[in-house]
Structures are given as structure tokens and as C-alpha cells.
Amino acid sequence: MSQQATAIARANIALAKYWGKSDVGLNLPAVSSISLTLEPMRTETTVTFDAKLASDEVILNGKPAEGKAKSRAIKVLDQVRALAESGHKARVESANNFPTASGLASSASGFAALVAASWTAAGLKRDDVRWSAMSRQASASAARSIYGGFVELPKGVPGDAALAAREVAPPSHWDVRIVVAVANEGAKDVGSTEGMTLSEQTSPYYRAWVECSDALVEEVRAGIMARDLTKVGEAMEQSTLAMHACMMASRPGLIYLQPATLAALATVKRLRKEGIEVYATMDAGPHVKALCHAEDAERVAAALADTQLVLRTLVAHPGEGLEIRT
Ligand code: PMV
């Protein structure tokens, strides 16, 4: 007998950034973060538990996964098997419609979809709060992809295994756009967990980063509730640059920004001078994601696509939370 389920999760972009852990074992964030769930940047994952399989199989974007990617997925399957009291091995097939492992938060939608699909395939009842907590253990930003629209993941008190994200406002609350300027299609060299540990252990700015983040999260949350793009945008840019300053001052320095990133940032600044409300953010990778009003998205995308070294642009809008396809 085999049991199968398919889940769709969207990527998310942090408007107030997460960088640093308060509990490495439970993967709890040291700072709160607020994100926007992005449509149409999706991961679709099908999990099949099959009594005939001798071992777990994990296929990512059409290729068998190896090493860390495979072992992280198996860890999720093991947790679900323990809850469902099942010993069956699984076949996981997962595909993204956007570049993997390059700062576009593919781990977020990937783990959110994997948790929900394996949970459902194992016959367990839908539970968004527990999905979010389990996703967080695999990748903290994944906890946010369970929910749609504007989502907060609070910082964690060490030992709080149940910490989950929560909705701040649904996708219909505010019709903004994120224009992604793709700077490079390759995978990043230093993953976020390794990078965060390095920053915590070596960056003289780590403490300052943690200290300034609470006020920035408050500002982003208040700006979202008031649909105030200036407030959200200014706080988002400061959160981004404070996080990158902390990363860069690590030893050795973590420099995720590339020439295309700086060129795109200059374009965002120029557009603002020309009277368009647009603000930039970057994660652990070189892409620039620009936040703007829906009516300005076409002009922002055209200007970023025209920027030297930028490969292409994608436009995203607020998306829904986890979907199960039956
Ligand atoms: O959840 P992780 O381990 O992929 O870390 C994500 C960290 C950033 O993308 C840089 C910031 C964020 O809040 O998404």
C-alpha cells in the first residue's frame, strides 16, 4: 500500500530580517522577522510512503538529491514517521519554478512543502501551527511559508520547541509588489546556518544587529498595518543593511553582494529620486528584491532589467499559505 500527498508552498521574502540563532539545536531565531509570502514563486512537492521501498528517495528539480540536501529531507521524513508511527520509506519529488539555493529562499518553500506533504501522506490531520514549528526546525524562514500574506516569526526563547510563525495580515490586506532582480543563477557558497554561526562567533557587529532588530520589526509591522510603504521600505532597507554589515564584519567576511547587486541598488535609488516609491532588500545571496506599489511594478521591473549585470527580473505579489492538492 502507498500513501501519497502533494503540497504547494510559496517562497517568502523577509521585510524585517532574521540572522542568528538563540538555540542551534532547536533552530530558534535570535531575532524576530516579518516576511511577505510570494506568488508565483512556488515549490510543489509530492511525498509517497511506500512499503515496497528499501530506502528514502529524494528528487529535487528532476535530479536525485545527495549529501546535506538529502539528509535534511530525511530528517523531516523521520520526524513525520515518528508521529505517525510508520516505518515506511518515502519517495519525495520536489520542484521549484525559481532558482534554487541562491538567496531566493528556496529552502523556505521547499521545507514548508515537504513538511505538509509528508504529514498529509502519512495520514495526519492538517495543523498549520505544528507544520510551521516543524518547518522552522529544518529552516527558520520555512516556518513563514506555511502562512500567506504578511507573516511574523517571533524570536525564540532557548528550549521553545513549539515556536511557530503567525499571520500578521492576509494577502488581500495590501497589494504591493516585489520585483526580483536576478543577479546570478548559481548556488551560494556559504549556507545560512554556517553563515549565522560565523557571524555570531566572529562579527563585532552581531550584538548591535540583534539589539537594533526589535525596533525595526515593530516599524515594519506598524507600517504593514497602516499600508505605509515609506515606513516599511525604510525599515526594511535598514534591517537589510544592518544584517549585511554584520555578515561582512565576520571573519572571514561573508560578502553575498556582487557587482550586479550594487548596480541594482543604484537603480532603486535613482527611481526614488525620480519620485517612484521603491525600496530594496537582499538575503544571503546577490539578488535585489524591490518593494513597490502595484502600479509602479512595470516601471521598476523595466529599469532593473535594463541595469547592467542584472540577468532578468521576476515580479511577485502577496501569495497564499500552504495548499494541499488532493
Ligand atoms: O531560514 P534560513 O536558514 O534559510 O535563513 C534565512 C536568512 C535570510 O534569508 C538571510 C533572512 C530571512 O529572514 O529570510
Side-chain angles (χ1 to χ4, degrees):
M1 197 193 78
S2 71
Q3 299 165 286
Q4 187 176 79
T6 298
I8 295 166
R10 280 112 190 138
N12 71 75
I13 178 78
L15 308 175
K17 301 292 175 183
Y18 146 60
W19 192 254
K21 299 181 197 284
S22 61
D23 181 328
V24 174
L26 289 176
N27 202 32
L28 296 171
V31 298
S32 302
S33 58
I34 297 183
S35 60
L36 175 59
T37 301
L38 301 176
E39 180 73 3
M41 292 157 65
R42 297 167 171 217
T43 300
E44 183 168 327
T45 301
T46 299
V47 174
T48 311
F49 286 105
D50 189 337
K52 293 199 285 287
L53 286 173
S55 59
D56 291 318
E57 291 170 12
V58 182
I59 312 286
L60 296 180
N61 294 314
K63 289 189 204 123
E66 298 300 336
K68 246 196 205 163
K70 186 173 183 185
S71 61
R72 286 175 82 187
I74 291 176
K75 210 166 149 188
V76 170
L77 295 171
D78 284 341
Q79 280 175 299
V80 170
R81 277 189 282 253
L83 282 174
E85 296 175 358
S86 154
H88 294 173
K89 297 296 181 192
R91 181 176 314 108
V92 176
E93 282 182 84
S94 184
N96 297 328
N97 63 356
F98 56 92
T100 303
S102 52
L104 269 178
S106 61
S107 70
S109 50
F111 283 112
L114 176 62
V115 165
S118 50
W119 185 284
T120 309
L124 298 166
K125 213 170 119 234
R126 179 166 188 146
D127 187 333
D128 288 28
V129 176
R130 290 179 75 193
W131 284 358
S132 180
M134 191 181 271
S135 303
R136 191 214 72 246
Q137 293 237 17
S139 166
S141 58
R144 303 184 307 226
S145 275
I146 297 295
Y147 298 97
F150 300 85
V151 182
E152 177 162 1
L153 176 62
K155 63 183 160 187
V157 178
D160 182 6
L163 183 80
R166 55 184 177 230
E167 183 189 280
V168 171
S172 58
H173 170 72
W174 194 18
D175 192 26
V176 288
R177 292 290 178 273
I178 290 282
V179 180
V180 181
V182 178
N184 182 326
E185 307 275 11
K188 62 192 174 198
D189 348 313
V190 182
S192 53
T193 297
E194 198 187 325
M196 286 181 205
T197 307
L198 184 70
S199 292
E200 187 187 346
Q201 290 174 351
T202 66
S203 176
Y205 301 157
Y206 181 76
R207 210 174 270 255
W209 152 248
V210 171
E211 275 168 21
C212 77
S213 68
D214 276 347
L216 292 169
V217 166
E218 291 300 318
E219 219 179 318
V220 166
R221 193 189 309 106
I224 289 167
M225 295 327 290
R227 300 185 187 89
D228 181 339
L229 193 73
T230 313
K231 196 175 178 123
V232 174
E234 287 183 5
M236 178 184 80
E237 283 197 351
Q238 190 170 21
S239 174
T240 303
L241 295 172
M243 177 183 78
H244 279 276
C246 166
M247 291 164 161
M248 281 187 206
S250 306
R251 185 188 287 204
L254 284 170
I255 304 174
Y256 290 108
L257 314 185
Q258 294 183 3
T261 319
L262 300 182
L265 286 177
T267 297
V268 166
K269 210 164 159 189
R270 173 175 61 76
L271 288 168
R272 222 149 55 207
K273 256 199 190 142
E274 291 169 11
I276 297 184
E277 274 251 274
V278 52
Y279 298 89
T281 186
M282 294 83 68
D283 293 293
H287 311 302
V288 170
K289 293 97 169 190
L291 174 71
C292 64
H293 291 295
E295 62 269 27
D296 293 328
E298 216 174 293
R299 192 158 157 208
V300 169
L304 285 169
D306 248 7
T307 300
Q308 236 193 353
L309 304 172
V310 168
L311 300 178
R312 60 198 171 93
T313 56
L314 313 167
V315 181
H317 61 272
E320 298 293 333
L322 212 294
E323 271 174 53
I324 296 293
R325 183 168 288 168
T326 45

